[in-house]
Every structure is written in structure tokens, then in C-alpha cells.
Amino acid sequence: MDDNFQAMYAQFTNVWNSTIPGLSILTYVPEIRYQGLIYPEPDRTKYFCRLSTVTIRAEQATLAVSVGDPGRRRFKVRGLIFAQIFGPRQDPGAYDIAGKLAKVGQSAFRAYPEDQNIWFTNATVENLDPDDNWVRWNVSASFTFDEFE
């Protein structure tokens, strides 16, 4: 996986793992499932998060980088990162708990980025209609980073 995407996933994971224990809403930190990995069917009694990205544009920003590494080009990469929060529908408090987890996800994208090459903007939270097994919330944010070739 590209270093920039690893850094985005690490940013989210660090905030998620360090914030949730202090909320006292669950006795465990919900699992994060990362895009591109295969997982078994989720436990329908537990909360979890699915993290994914989509690149929207990768525009060439320079003809060549002149400082430090001449001849390489800089590209401005823009996209969206999503954290889908799932709560067990049979839990009467699932709507509120999943909503609080979604706010943690949103704060991960509002925090000062650990990798200063990546910028998050427009972090939003949206609740979705439940399906047969899950209460669902989405967190989305725009991201931008520079990539060199």
C-alpha cells in the first residue's frame, strides 16, 4: 500500500484506539476493517468500522521538482476517505453508540495530521437507514496529498 494511504489509515486508527476507551460506551474497542483485506463474517453482536478510500483526481502540479530531486514531477492527489460504522441492530442503544463512534471517526479527520503531507477537509457524519442486521453511520472526509514520480 502507498505510504500516503498507510499514513491516513494510521491517523484514523491512532485516534480511534486512543479515544474510544475514554468514552465508556463499550467494554472493547471496535475492530477496524481495512479496504483490500479479507475478513470473516462480522460478529453480529459487536460494533465494527470499515475504512476505505477512493481517489478522485491525480493532477500533475509541476513539470519537475527543482529542489532536492530534480527531474521528478509532483502530482496533487485528491480523494475521499470513508469510515463506515456498524452497530448490532438488536442492541437498543446501537443508534446512539454508533453515532458516538462516528463522531470519534470525524475527529480523526479533524485532528492535526501526523503526516503533514496529507490534509483532510470537510469531515462529515451521516446516519443511514439500518439494514436487517446493522445500524449504520458514515463518516467521510476529503483528502489531498502530494505524490512525486
PDB file of all heavy atoms in Angstrom, residues 1 25 43 74 82 95 103 123:
ATOM      1  N   MET A   1       0.849  -1.184   0.000  1.00  0.00           N
ATOM      2  CA  MET A   1       0.000   0.000   0.000  1.00  0.00           C
ATOM      3  C   MET A   1       0.892   1.244   0.000  1.00  0.00           C
ATOM      4  O   MET A   1       1.919   1.278   0.655  1.00  0.00           O
ATOM      5  CB  MET A   1      -0.910  -0.013   1.232  1.00  0.00           C
ATOM      6  CG  MET A   1      -1.758   1.230   1.345  1.00  0.00           C
ATOM      7  SD  MET A   1      -2.789   1.305   2.824  1.00  0.00           S
ATOM      8  CE  MET A   1      -3.967   0.036   2.456  1.00  0.00           C
ATOM      9  N   ILE A  25     -18.396   3.821  26.559  1.00  0.00           N
ATOM     10  CA  ILE A  25     -19.651   3.398  25.928  1.00  0.00           C
ATOM     11  C   ILE A  25     -19.630   1.917  25.572  1.00  0.00           C
ATOM     12  O   ILE A  25     -20.677   1.309  25.392  1.00  0.00           O
ATOM     13  CB  ILE A  25     -19.986   4.238  24.672  1.00  0.00           C
ATOM     14  CG1 ILE A  25     -18.853   4.183  23.647  1.00  0.00           C
ATOM     15  CG2 ILE A  25     -20.320   5.666  25.051  1.00  0.00           C
ATOM     16  CD1 ILE A  25     -19.162   4.865  22.331  1.00  0.00           C
ATOM     17  N   ASP A  43     -19.103 -10.496  13.669  1.00  0.00           N
ATOM     18  CA  ASP A  43     -19.926 -10.921  14.804  1.00  0.00           C
ATOM     19  C   ASP A  43     -21.099  -9.952  14.913  1.00  0.00           C
ATOM     20  O   ASP A  43     -20.895  -8.746  15.100  1.00  0.00           O
ATOM     21  CB  ASP A  43     -19.070 -10.896  16.071  1.00  0.00           C
ATOM     22  CG  ASP A  43     -19.821 -11.333  17.318  1.00  0.00           C
ATOM     23  OD1 ASP A  43     -21.073 -11.345  17.307  1.00  0.00           O
ATOM     24  OD2 ASP A  43     -19.143 -11.659  18.309  1.00  0.00           O
ATOM     25  N   ARG A  74       5.614  16.465  -9.567  1.00  0.00           N
ATOM     26  CA  ARG A  74       4.729  16.457  -8.398  1.00  0.00           C
ATOM     27  C   ARG A  74       3.286  16.367  -8.876  1.00  0.00           C
ATOM     28  O   ARG A  74       2.886  17.063  -9.811  1.00  0.00           O
ATOM     29  CB  ARG A  74       4.915  17.714  -7.555  1.00  0.00           C
ATOM     30  CG  ARG A  74       4.019  17.727  -6.316  1.00  0.00           C
ATOM     31  CD  ARG A  74       4.381  18.862  -5.365  1.00  0.00           C
ATOM     32  NE  ARG A  74       4.322  20.168  -5.972  1.00  0.00           N
ATOM     33  CZ  ARG A  74       3.282  21.002  -5.882  1.00  0.00           C
ATOM     34  NH1 ARG A  74       2.205  20.654  -5.222  1.00  0.00           N
ATOM     35  NH2 ARG A  74       3.341  22.175  -6.474  1.00  0.00           N
ATOM     36  N   PHE A  82     -13.511   7.118   3.777  1.00  0.00           N
ATOM     37  CA  PHE A  82     -14.780   6.770   4.422  1.00  0.00           C
ATOM     38  C   PHE A  82     -14.539   5.867   5.621  1.00  0.00           C
ATOM     39  O   PHE A  82     -13.727   4.937   5.541  1.00  0.00           O
ATOM     40  CB  PHE A  82     -15.699   6.010   3.453  1.00  0.00           C
ATOM     41  CG  PHE A  82     -16.031   6.763   2.211  1.00  0.00           C
ATOM     42  CD1 PHE A  82     -15.305   6.557   1.056  1.00  0.00           C
ATOM     43  CD2 PHE A  82     -17.064   7.683   2.196  1.00  0.00           C
ATOM     44  CE1 PHE A  82     -15.601   7.250  -0.111  1.00  0.00           C
ATOM     45  CE2 PHE A  82     -17.361   8.386   1.035  1.00  0.00           C
ATOM     46  CZ  PHE A  82     -16.629   8.167  -0.113  1.00  0.00           C
ATOM     47  N   TYR A  95     -28.094   2.867  17.978  1.00  0.00           N
ATOM     48  CA  TYR A  95     -28.136   4.121  17.220  1.00  0.00           C
ATOM     49  C   TYR A  95     -27.252   5.173  17.887  1.00  0.00           C
ATOM     50  O   TYR A  95     -26.425   5.810  17.234  1.00  0.00           O
ATOM     51  CB  TYR A  95     -29.580   4.608  17.107  1.00  0.00           C
ATOM     52  CG  TYR A  95     -29.718   5.882  16.322  1.00  0.00           C
ATOM     53  CD1 TYR A  95     -29.781   5.856  14.936  1.00  0.00           C
ATOM     54  CD2 TYR A  95     -29.776   7.123  16.962  1.00  0.00           C
ATOM     55  CE1 TYR A  95     -29.897   7.029  14.203  1.00  0.00           C
ATOM     56  CE2 TYR A  95     -29.886   8.292  16.236  1.00  0.00           C
ATOM     57  CZ  TYR A  95     -29.953   8.245  14.857  1.00  0.00           C
ATOM     58  OH  TYR A  95     -30.066   9.403  14.139  1.00  0.00           O
ATOM     59  N   LYS A 103     -18.675  10.093  15.591  1.00  0.00           N
ATOM     60  CA  LYS A 103     -18.071  11.374  15.972  1.00  0.00           C
ATOM     61  C   LYS A 103     -16.574  11.206  16.263  1.00  0.00           C
ATOM     62  O   LYS A 103     -15.784  12.099  15.989  1.00  0.00           O
ATOM     63  CB  LYS A 103     -18.789  11.977  17.189  1.00  0.00           C
ATOM     64  CG  LYS A 103     -20.210  12.435  16.903  1.00  0.00           C
ATOM     65  CD  LYS A 103     -20.293  13.493  15.840  1.00  0.00           C
ATOM     66  CE  LYS A 103     -19.968  14.851  16.385  1.00  0.00           C
ATOM     67  NZ  LYS A 103     -20.087  15.918  15.378  1.00  0.00           N
ATOM     68  N   ALA A 123     -14.904  16.982   6.906  1.00  0.00           N
ATOM     69  CA  ALA A 123     -15.266  15.744   7.611  1.00  0.00           C
ATOM     70  C   ALA A 123     -16.724  15.830   8.057  1.00  0.00           C
ATOM     71  O   ALA A 123     -17.103  16.729   8.802  1.00  0.00           O
ATOM     72  CB  ALA A 123     -14.357  15.536   8.811  1.00  0.00           C
TER      73      ALA A 123
END
